[in-house]
Amino acid sequence: MCGIIGAVNSAFDTNFDLSSLRHRGPDGQGEWRDGNFCHLGHTRLSIIDLDHRSSQPMISRSGRHVIVFNGEIYNYRELQREFLADFDFRTTSDTEVLLEMWESMGPECLNHLRGMFAFAVWDVREKELFLARDRMGKKPIVFHCGNGTLSFASELDALLGLLPQRPEISIRAMDLFLAYQFIPYPFTIYEGCEKLPPAHYARFKDGRMELKRYWAIDFEPDYSISEDAALEQLEEMVRESVRLRMRSDVEVGVLLSGGVDSSLVAAVAARESGMRLKTFSVGFDYGKSELEYAQKAADTCNSIHKPASLDETTACGLFDSMVNAYGEPYGDNSALPSLFVCAHAASEVKVALNGDGGDELMGGYGKYNPKKLRRMMTPLAAAGYRAGCFLEGVANRLCSGPAMLKFADRSCSALSPYMKVVRFNHFFSSQYRKGLYRPEMFGQVLDNRCEYEQRLISELPLSGPLMCRLQNIDYRHYFACDLLVKMDIAGMHNSLETRSPLMDHRLFEFAATLPPELKIRNGETKYLLKKLAAKYLPREIIYRPKTGFSVPVGDWAGTIFRQRVEKAVTDGNHPLWNYLERGYVKKMISGNPRRIRRDGHRLWLLAVLCRWMETHS
């Protein structure tokens, strides 16, 4: 993994500050220019072919194309044999394979890649730039396009250094953050700065940018497949996916939470590699801890196990670092333990496998299996969603009392099963939202969420079983915009490459063909994946209640989060009050302990937003 940065046709003096991306690539850096047309930069985390010859920016043998690349192409050896068997390579890196494939077939090569990637290719002859992002969205690209220029980078803070002035804060993006705890693509917290969507590439030429989707999951359940055949194929694909992600010229470890998914990955990795791997776990001195199960999984895998404990004091000390690391407001509180375990692993390895994607792959959430009444509404789901948004808009315009707005929230949610997924986390809903914003700001965000959600749903081919529809929505929303962002930053902030075998796109394509009852059966989530895990792990690890990987926001609401928000409330000049009502927030933190605990997640989001505004406004 690495950091990439670049600018095209920029009149601004683009002397890159590569130090803003050094955490993504501490092993080397480089820059390349094509006169005043294009400037590319790269910071390197050396994983495959550690020699300096694989440094970037890398120029193709013909001299026509130049690439900066972040990520890994796991099947690069197979691609080399299939498409470039007669080519005289200068390196043994996946970067050169990708570059020469692009030179020979252009964007068509994206269909053959298996991996996580975000890269830019400059065509010296045609004076055009291509940006591309992997199918699931593991590797990020943010960009600013305007006035005939294009600037891009792996992270927002690096992108800002390419712009002549800091963009305005987007109140629409802030509103989406306060709704979902993350800012979905294509939005960023800054006006004019966007995220390249997953499974897209972009072409920039003559001052104009065009985006194109190159892949999408097709949910077509095959009811003819037997359970035994599905299990056999799933195991074969998981083993292959793990094998590919063990390719590395440096040591590979495993982030082992003690849950089903990471334990299965660790067990398969141990069997496929035939080595004693290092496994890394984090436990908590608050709430539930899975260290016991992580140790049992480690014993089963015969790994060199490295547990660590995260206490309240350490977690609080990580708060400011977490807020700064994500570049824009990001409120998934599991980012704190994720940053901690990645730092723990990075002290000994540069690459770590994890179990991310198992829940999304095989139906690990109850929200994919709504109650019978919601399932009966499937034929009217899209129409019910539109009706719910209309009702919400009317209520927000005509009502001011929290009780009526709360009723509107619940009525809106009841009209469509899609709401259960899109608004699975909906923290500052209508009953809070109207009082939270300054009046002039509320007018700007009134229809914001419904516009985003309806566009999201309208772009998806939603048909077939309800579970397939809900998974499809979740992939483009919570999965891509929250979970994948969390682990990319948590790993790269600590110069650790995290690889996710259960997120191989071929696995997701296969899972999309499975009947829903092989994913959730009689209330048992991840039915088939757990059956596979039982071939590798003790049942006590597999068949137990799901434990979240998060911090106790309810317990900390009255102390840590309240104190941080209170500090902002006492400062009448705090930049947050340009957008939100200071008096409303003051009332939130002045309630009784029970109410403050109930508002724990909302206070957490406000604490994140306060801190981000203090350091970035």
Side-chain angles (χ1 to χ4, degrees):
M1 288 194 194
C2 307
I4 64 173
I5 191 170
V8 181
N9 298 341
S10 178
F12 180 56
D13 182 17
T14 53
N15 289 318
F16 293 163
D17 178 14
L18 294 179
S19 64
S20 63
L21 291 171
R22 191 157 293 138
H23 54 282
R24 298 188 76 94
D27 297 332
Q29 64 182 53
E31 296 184 48
W32 178 90
R33 286 180 183 269
D34 183 4
N36 293 323
F37 292 107
C38 180
H39 184 185
L40 302 176
H42 184 267
T43 61
R44 185 184 185 197
L45 181 65
S46 302
I47 303 295
I48 295 176
D49 190 353
L50 310 184
D51 194 276
H52 179 70
R53 64 191 177 185
S54 290
S55 296
Q56 302 179 46
M58 183 180 286
I59 305 171
S60 65
R61 183 174 287 279
S62 72
R64 177 177 171 179
H65 293 98
V66 186
I67 192 171
V68 284
F69 163 49
N70 168 30
E72 302 289 352
I73 308 300
Y74 300 121
N75 64 330
Y76 71 101
R77 295 175 185 169
E78 290 78 8
L79 295 175
Q80 183 176 341
R81 288 194 295 268
E82 182 177 356
F83 297 104
L84 299 163
D86 298 325
F87 189 83
D88 183 19
F89 283 89
R90 298 161 290 171
T91 75
T92 58
S93 70
D94 57 336
T95 304
E96 189 177 13
V97 173
L98 171 60
L99 176 59
E100 298 301 339
M101 281 193 66
W102 186 277
E103 176 138 313
S104 65
M105 61 180 74
E108 169 63 23
C109 77
L110 296 170
N111 296 320
H112 303 286
L113 306 181
R114 293 178 70 179
M116 53 181 182
F117 53 83
F119 63 85
V121 176
W122 174 249
D123 188 327
V124 176
R125 187 179 72 190
E126 298 297 326
K127 303 302 180 192
E128 63 183 5
L129 184 87
F130 285 88
L131 300 174
R133 193 173 176 203
D134 66 73
R135 296 171 180 82
M136 309 310 295
K138 278 210 71 177
K139 296 289 97 189
I141 297 181
V142 289
F143 66 90
H144 180 279
C145 183
N147 299 320
T149 70
L150 171 69
S151 302
F152 68 89
S154 295
E155 297 181 7
L156 270 174
D157 286 344
L159 177 64
L160 295 182
L162 302 181
L163 306 180
Q165 60 187 28
R166 184 178 290 267
E168 294 289 326
I169 288 174
S170 168
I171 183 62
R172 294 187 66 196
M174 185 186 297
D175 180 60
L176 296 176
F177 162 75
L178 290 170
Y180 314 124
Q181 77 184 9
F182 57 85
I183 299 174
Y185 68 79
F187 304 100
T188 74
I189 192 62
Y190 297 110
E191 295 283 359
C193 298
E194 297 183 38
K195 299 167 182 141
L196 184 68
H200 279 70
Y201 69 86
R203 175 177 177 263
F204 183 79
K205 184 177 175 65
D206 298 329
R208 295 188 300 274
M209 192 171 197
E210 300 172 352
L211 270 68
K212 185 173 182 179
R213 172 175 286 278
Y214 66 87
W215 178 83
I217 294 179
D218 184 16
F219 279 89
E220 289 290 342
D222 176 10
Y223 291 95
S224 67
I225 192 169
S226 69
E227 184 175 317
D228 288 343
L231 180 63
E232 181 180 351
Q233 190 170 348
L234 178 63
E235 180 174 21
E236 181 181 330
M237 296 184 76
V238 169
R239 290 178 62 184
E240 183 204 26
S241 183
V242 170
R243 278 198 304 273
L244 286 175
R245 284 158 181 79
M246 292 295 291
R247 288 179 173 175
S248 172
D249 292 330
V250 298
E251 184 179 5
V252 179
V254 182
L255 302 181
L256 180 58
S257 71
V260 177
D261 305 330
S262 64
S263 298
L264 174 61
V265 167
V268 173
R271 186 173 299 186
E272 291 295 321
S273 68
M275 300 166 52
R276 288 196 73 196
L277 302 174
K278 290 179 181 175
T279 53
F280 303 89
S281 299
V282 58
F284 313 112
D285 69 346
Y286 52 80
K288 296 180 180 179
S289 176
E290 292 190 292
L291 276 183
E292 174 190 354
Y293 296 100
Q295 184 63 60
K296 289 178 180 178
D299 292 342
T300 301
C301 302
N302 192 31
S303 68
I304 304 168
H305 193 49
K306 309 278 185 172
S309 183
L310 177 63
D311 57 34
E312 182 176 337
T313 302
T314 305
C316 294
L318 282 172
F319 181 85
D320 289 354
S321 177
M322 181 208 77
V323 173
N324 291 331
Y326 283 85
E328 66 179 0
Y330 176 79
D332 188 329
N333 62 76
S334 63
L336 279 175
S338 297
L339 281 163
F340 180 79
V341 74
C342 285
H344 176 48
S347 66
E348 300 206 25
V349 297
K350 293 173 74 171
V351 179
L353 308 185
N354 63 32
D356 285 4
D359 287 321
E360 291 73 21
L361 177 74
M362 296 300 291
Y365 300 122
K367 62 184 175 181
Y368 295 155
N369 188 36
K371 295 179 180 179
K372 185 176 181 179
L373 180 60
R374 285 183 182 271
R375 293 199 301 271
M376 291 173 60
M377 298 176 65
T378 300
L380 302 173
Y385 195 89
R386 290 191 295 271
C389 284
F390 175 77
L391 174 63
E392 181 182 68
V394 170
N396 275 293
R397 284 174 171 85
L398 301 182
C399 304
S400 57
M404 282 300 298
L405 291 171
K406 183 177 181 179
F407 174 76
D409 274 335
R410 293 187 173 181
S411 301
C412 178
S413 178
L415 288 173
S416 172
Y418 296 166
M419 283 286 187
K420 184 69 174 176
V421 170
V422 179
R423 297 189 177 182
F424 182 71
N425 290 322
H426 195 220
F427 296 105
F428 281 95
S429 55
S430 293
Q431 62 175 306
Y432 305 98
R433 190 178 178 213
K434 195 164 189 177
L436 179 67
Y437 288 101
R438 293 172 63 92
E440 66 274 21
M441 293 297 163
F442 182 68
Q444 294 183 44
V445 302
L446 179 58
D447 298 316
N448 183 40
R449 297 175 191 177
C450 283
E451 288 174 358
Y452 158 72
E453 293 166 1
Q454 289 190 72
R455 184 171 64 251
L456 169 73
I457 290 171
S458 68
E459 291 174 352
L460 290 169
L462 297 176
S463 60
L466 180 58
M467 183 189 298
C468 296
R469 302 186 192 194
L470 299 182
Q471 284 185 283
N472 209 353
I473 294 171
D474 214 31
Y475 290 169
R476 302 265 185 105
H477 181 61
Y478 175 67
F479 183 48
C481 304
D482 184 331
L483 297 187
L484 301 191
V485 173
K486 175 180 66 181
M487 281 311 296
D488 174 72
I489 297 297
M492 295 315 298
H493 185 69
N494 292 288
S495 305
L496 177 74
E497 176 169 295
T498 56
R499 299 178 175 182
S500 306
L502 299 181
M503 280 176 48
D504 190 287
H505 79 274
R506 291 190 180 178
L507 264 175
F508 269 74
E509 289 173 342
F510 167 67
T513 69
L514 293 177
E517 55 267 23
L518 289 182
K519 298 176 183 177
I520 301 179
R521 179 176 293 182
N522 298 324
E524 183 71 61
T525 59
K526 293 191 289 194
Y527 170 77
L528 194 67
L529 191 70
K530 289 178 178 177
K531 193 170 182 179
L532 171 59
K535 298 176 68 172
Y536 293 83
L537 300 162
R539 292 180 62 86
E540 61 189 303
I541 293 176
I542 302 164
Y543 297 102
R544 61 185 179 87
K546 191 178 182 68
T547 302
F549 192 63
S550 57
V551 299
V553 291
D555 294 340
W556 294 358
T559 54
I560 303 166
F561 309 148
R562 183 178 180 276
Q563 291 167 8
R564 291 177 179 274
V565 176
E566 189 173 40
K567 179 183 175 184
V569 167
T570 58
D571 179 6
N573 295 317
H574 195 284
L576 188 57
W577 311 135
N578 293 323
Y579 307 91
L580 306 186
E581 283 286 1
R582 182 181 169 204
Y584 184 88
V585 175
K586 183 177 182 179
K587 198 178 296 183
M588 280 187 68
I589 62 173
S590 301
N592 61 57
R594 184 177 177 182
R595 178 180 173 182
I596 289 176
R597 181 182 178 85
R598 185 199 67 190
D599 285 336
H601 276 91
R602 283 175 280 277
L603 289 176
W604 159 264
L605 295 180
L606 287 174
V608 169
L609 192 55
C610 285
R611 180 57 185 167
W612 187 87
M613 294 290 287
E614 290 162 9
T615 56
H616 288 79
S617 181

